[in-house]
Amino acid sequence: MEIRKNDTFTVRIEDMSEDGAGVGRLDGYIWFIKDTVCGDLVEAKAIKFKKTYGFARLMRILMPSEDRTEPACPAARQCGGCQLQAMRYEAQLAFKEKKVLNSLVRIGGLDSGTFLFEPIIGMENPWRYRNKAQFPFGQNKDGEIIAGFYAGRTHTIIEQEDCLLGVEENQKILAVIRGHMKKMQIKPYDEERHQGLIRHVLIRKGFRTGELMVCLVLNGRNIPRAGELVDALCKLKGMTSISLNVNMEKTNVIMGRELVNLWGPGCITDYIGRIRYRISPLSFYQVNPVQTEKLYTLALEYAGLTGEETVWDLYCGIGTISLFLAQRAKFVYGVEVVPEAVGDARENARLNGIKNVEFFEGRAEEILPEQYKKNQIYADVIVVDPPRKGCDAACLDMILKMSPKRIVYVSCGPATLARDLRVLCGGGYEVKRVRCVDMFAWGVHVETVALLSKLD
Ligand code: SAH
């Protein structure tokens, strides 16, 4: 039977794609069906055809998989944020482990019997774990001000103020801002016309300190009766910093570069382990602080430090891992390309009285060779935590030249991790241990730490 566009058909979901869609097969043709779970028997409607595979829309679940659960969020299917809300949490963890192991074997060419693949570190409570939220503002059909989320892959705003991954304070803050907008007749930003004032609000919370930050992103420089808005926001427990961010460009980028402080010190602070961090509206900071502490603790364990080691932390961001490592190393050098992040890293070192660190600003693949030539730099251990695209080839090359005893690779992209491990293994290293940490429950992303050791 040939399936045409908009036909419905029945199929069993046999697998999951890397981006969290269910995968089914009919007569050798592969169907990707969002919102389904491996094991489901579903009725689906054909939407889009490619040569060897197609996309279909879930219409009805005929027989649910054992791994299926009722999505807790009413917007789960429309919102672009969560891909796995219909999957039990334990099944998500297994899905992520499998995805990483598959990459290591298929792309990395590793033999799974030759290293220790340790059980994934999951979350104790997979809800309300995000310390950061960015809500776009808009209007609904009736012209009312709404805040919410973008629907997957579009810029349509879905009204949804209580994201279950975010903190409960988000709703209260949004209500205060909406109230002020209504009272002062402030218009939300309209992307198509490039008109209106309020584009987004960025909210951050220090989980250990309870401190709250609100930063309104404006298509403008000020907000009518800002004092009244500040007074209303300050009634919320924990409110610490209120600021404006100026973004008058026609762009998808949420934040502009210019900040205007309205109230408070312009930043909040939080702890990971014993290290205190200053977080400003523009700083990068991990969004899941509870799991981040577990991730860094794991990286520290894999680094095997005794206090005598010289360590390089490449792609160090605001120095989070560097400062964590510095507690047990002789000296840590961090390298990071974003100047503001390097500034934050130095400030964080000072804030914690940590003196055995130094930060370099620049690309890892340029700083390393430069320092190697100039100062014959040396490393006992090298830690890398690159963005999803992985390490630059020149960077891997330098790491091999520096020939550290151990390499700890922290990765948010299993495919590039596997690709880079293959290079390092080809250069005289062997993978000893690998462990995943789940930082993004209900989403498909997973963090992995790998330990490599130099062959004798
Ligand atoms: N280790 C940090 C940040 C990891 S995110 C933490 O855990 O918080 C990856 C970082 O790599 C980002 O801060 C990004 O700015 C930086 N980066 C990207 N390309 C780089 C390069 N070529 N050289 C150095 N840093 C780079």
Side-chain angles (χ1 to χ4, degrees), residues 168-208:
E168 270 156 1
E169 287 90 338
N170 289 341
Q171 279 182 85
K172 295 182 193 156
I173 292 169
L174 289 170
V176 170
I177 296 170
R178 258 194 300 97
H180 186 74
M181 288 170 78
K182 206 166 162 194
K183 200 163 133 201
M184 300 301 155
Q185 302 196 333
I186 301 170
K187 287 258 184 299
Y189 179 65
D190 177 336
E191 219 170 28
E192 264 157 41
R193 297 205 190 89
H194 192 49
Q195 279 170 7
L197 184 63
I198 301 193
R199 299 174 74 126
H200 272 85
V201 59
L202 163 73
I203 303 170
R204 279 176 149 172
K205 182 181 180 185
F207 273 37
R208 294 258 290 274

Side-chain angles (χ1 to χ4, degrees), residues 223-239:
I223 192 163
R225 306 268 193 103
E228 284 175 35
L229 175 62
V230 167
D231 287 345
L233 286 171
C234 283
K235 292 207 179 85
L236 300 174
K237 191 168 158 259
M239 190 56 59

Side-chain angles (χ1 to χ4, degrees), residues 104 302 407-411 417 421 431-435 448-452:
L104 295 179
Y302 278 14
I407 302 167
V408 178
Y409 197 130
V410 183
S411 160
L417 168 69
L421 291 186
V431 176
K432 289 284 194 192
R433 296 166 73 179
V434 177
R435 190 163 196 182
T448 308
V449 187
L451 167 66
L452 294 101

Side-chain angles (χ1 to χ4, degrees), residues 284-286 292 295-296 313-322 335-338 341 360 362-367 384-390 392 395 410 412 447:
F284 172 86
Y285 189 66
Q286 294 279 0
T292 296
L295 179 75
Y296 293 171
D313 177 23
L314 311 180
Y315 311 86
C316 72
I318 59 166
T320 21
I321 297 181
S322 319
V335 183
E336 164 62 43
V337 73
V338 174
F360 294 92
R363 293 180 187 284
E365 60 272 23
E366 287 164 13
I367 296 282
V384 298
D385 182 10
R388 205 152 286 149
K389 69 176 198 280
D392 192 272
C395 178
V410 183
C412 55
E447 207 79 15

